[in-house]
Amino acid sequence: MRKIRVNTSSPYDVLIERGSIKDCGKYIAEVTGKCKAAIITDDTVSALYADIVRTSLEANGFEICTFVFPHGERSKDLSTLAEIFDFLAKNSITRSDILVALGGGVVGDITGFAAASFLRGIRFVQIPTTLLAQIDSSVGGKTAVDIPAGKNLVGAFKQPEIVICDSDTLTTLPDDELACGMAEAIKYGMIRDSRLFDIIAEHDLKNINDVMDELVYTCIDIKRDVVEHDEFDTGERMILNFGHTIGHAIEGWHNYTDYTHGMGVAAGMCIITDKFAPELSGRLRKCVEAYGLPTGTEAPMSELLPFCMNDKKRTTGNISYIVCPSVGKAEIRKVAFAEFSHLMEG
Ligand code: NAD
Ligand code: GLY
């Protein structure tokens, strides 16, 4: 069992071990004590893992209720959130009880926000089952739902009580979802750890599972370090956005359909690197391609720039973007939006 302590305003452990989902009840009880546990999950994950989690929680003295919603980003909205609130109220969940987020980033984000707001805040735990959720969304305390005006626009910072990562659960992930997580793993290598980048570059989508525990551990440890320095996202945490400014714009250009977040991040990292550190482009592109991810986009830059203007990392008239001048090093560059447009179109 590997453990990472995340020292945020409310500290917690991330446990990383194959097979740990079967013992989740024991690990959660050690942190929260016995209480009522509302498992929140989606239909796909429910069919695969809800019984295992329920059995382990019951064996460790928890009283269980389960809320299941349809999988996919479209469920991460205010109407599902309202259904979760109704469910928690009907099941008499109190401030002594816990929510259990079982699933990918969609489940984690909406459950975390429900935990931040129900009864003005109750405890929650994360059992992330996608690579993206294990190495990114379950750690760091960002929770949110989408509204018609944009993704993740309504949310809160709310740290979990514990995160349990079982990389065996990743073996049931479809390839495109695994690739989505690998885009974020490549990002961690680019911004902070050239050794991690090399390990990723030496593998591909078919054999990366051989080193999955090490990969998950290393990525989470990088996220821990960044989040501990800037929990509330006012500075350094922005480096986690490498590839995301253009990536989100590409996702938006595709109306968030048939184009995953990971594809956007991969293409975004390549486009920014082509522009500002072209000597690294070959290495990055080769690595991205090994995971079946795109290295560019058919969308014209002139049509992507309006989407960049809506980026959450924008302040009045300015935009921050991240450049990696070498593998393992990230720089935040803040410029007037007009200058960014000029640089990107030039
Ligand atoms: P997701 O939660 O939609 O999961 C992807 C798909 O995989 C879903 O259909 C799900 O049912 C399925 N799935 C999950 N686990 C599975 C498993 N083990 N086997 C088979 N299928 C499985 O998407 P995601 O990529 O995990 O997360 C994306 C979300 O995360 C977005 O909403 C994004 O905004 C959010 N996010 C949040 C943060 C944060 O810091 N809070 C960071 C990055 C992304
Ligand atoms: N996923 C970006 C962050 O946690 O800040």
Side-chain angles (χ1 to χ4, degrees):
M1 164 82 64
R2 300 188 82 179
K3 192 190 279 194
I4 294 176
R5 182 78 173 163
V6 184
N7 277 308
T8 40
S9 50
S10 161
Y12 54 99
D13 287 334
V14 182
L15 310 184
I16 302 149
E17 186 170 63
R18 288 184 189 270
S20 53
I21 196 168
K22 288 197 289 296
D23 296 319
C24 65
K26 176 165 84 80
Y27 302 127
I28 295 169
E30 283 167 4
V31 175
T32 67
K34 292 172 191 171
C35 56
K36 256 194 217 171
I39 300 172
I40 314 290
T41 189
D42 71 29
D43 52 355
T44 305
V45 179
S46 172
L48 292 164
Y49 300 110
D51 280 348
I52 298 172
V53 169
R54 193 180 303 121
T55 303
S56 177
L57 285 165
E58 280 173 351
N60 284 278
F62 289 90
E63 194 186 321
I64 307 299
C65 56
T66 306
F67 181 86
V68 182
F69 61 80
H71 66 275
E73 185 72 28
R74 253 183 291 171
S75 287
K76 205 179 98 175
D77 66 357
L78 290 169
S79 72
T80 309
L81 184 68
E83 287 174 28
I84 293 174
F85 289 149
D86 283 345
F87 172 82
L88 299 177
K90 275 189 193 122
N91 283 279
S92 306
I93 296 295
T94 70
R95 279 197 182 144
S96 320
D97 300 324
I98 59 166
L99 307 190
V100 178
L102 171 65
V106 165
V107 168
D109 276 14
I110 196 167
T111 306
F113 188 47
S117 43
F118 188 68
L119 304 179
R120 299 200 180 89
I122 66 172
R123 300 170 299 168
F124 86 117
V125 305
Q126 292 261 22
I127 307 179
T129 62
T130 64
L131 179 59
L132 181 139
Q134 293 193 357
I135 66 175
D136 190 358
S137 59
S138 66
V139 176
K142 281 189 183 176
T143 73
V145 293
D146 306 331
I147 58 172
K151 275 184 70 172
N152 296 326
L153 288 189
V154 178
F157 288 96
K158 168 82 176 167
Q159 303 295 344
E161 301 299 309
I162 186 171
V163 182
I164 299 168
C165 295
D166 177 350
S167 51
D168 277 352
T169 62
L170 306 181
T171 56
T172 53
L173 268 185
D175 276 357
D176 58 336
E177 297 296 349
L178 188 63
C180 207
M182 284 310 300
E184 299 290 352
I186 294 168
K187 174 197 79 179
Y188 286 117
M190 285 294 291
I191 63 172
R192 268 294 171 87
D193 189 337
S194 61
R195 187 179 153 269
L196 171 66
F197 183 89
D198 288 343
I199 291 171
I200 297 170
E202 284 157 11
H203 290 78
D204 59 32
L205 208 52
K206 294 287 163 240
N207 62 16
I208 191 67
N209 190 41
D210 298 349
V211 290
M212 195 52 92
D213 269 7
E214 187 60 27
L215 178 103
V216 168
Y217 179 90
T218 307
C219 292
I220 294 175
D221 204 42
I222 293 170
K223 179 134 191 192
R224 173 203 58 75
D225 187 56
V226 173
V227 167
E228 282 180 354
H229 283 99
D230 181 20
E231 180 175 354
F232 298 106
D233 203 12
T234 57
E236 180 187 342
R237 190 163 175 168
M238 234 180 255
I239 65 168
L240 297 175
N241 227 32
F242 176 53
H244 286 57
T245 303
I246 299 291
H248 284 151
I250 302 173
E251 281 183 84
W253 191 82
H254 284 269
N255 288 317
Y256 300 98
T257 50
D258 302 328
Y259 204 90
T260 66
H261 177 68
M263 290 164 74
V265 170
M269 291 190 293
C270 291
I271 291 167
I272 283 284
T273 302
D274 288 349
K275 183 66 75 184
F276 298 105
E279 62 286 2
L280 300 184
S281 281
R283 265 174 92 188
L284 176 59
R285 284 167 168 269
K286 196 159 169 253
C287 184
V288 159
E289 278 166 358
Y291 293 90
L293 291 161
T295 56
T297 174
E298 71 205 84
M301 189 50 67
S302 58
E303 292 180 25
L304 294 178
L305 288 168
F307 288 96
C308 295
M309 271 185 72
N310 290 326
D311 194 276
K312 284 204 292 306
K313 298 291 180 283
R314 155 196 60 107
T315 49
T316 319
N318 294 315
I319 187 163
S320 294
Y321 62 97
I322 316 304
V323 172
C324 293
S326 57
V327 175
K329 187 171 184 303
E331 285 174 4
I332 302 171
R333 297 191 183 166
K334 186 172 178 180
V335 294
F337 191 78
E339 187 184 339
F340 181 71
S341 302
H342 178 72
L343 288 167
M344 292 311 296
E345 287 191 302

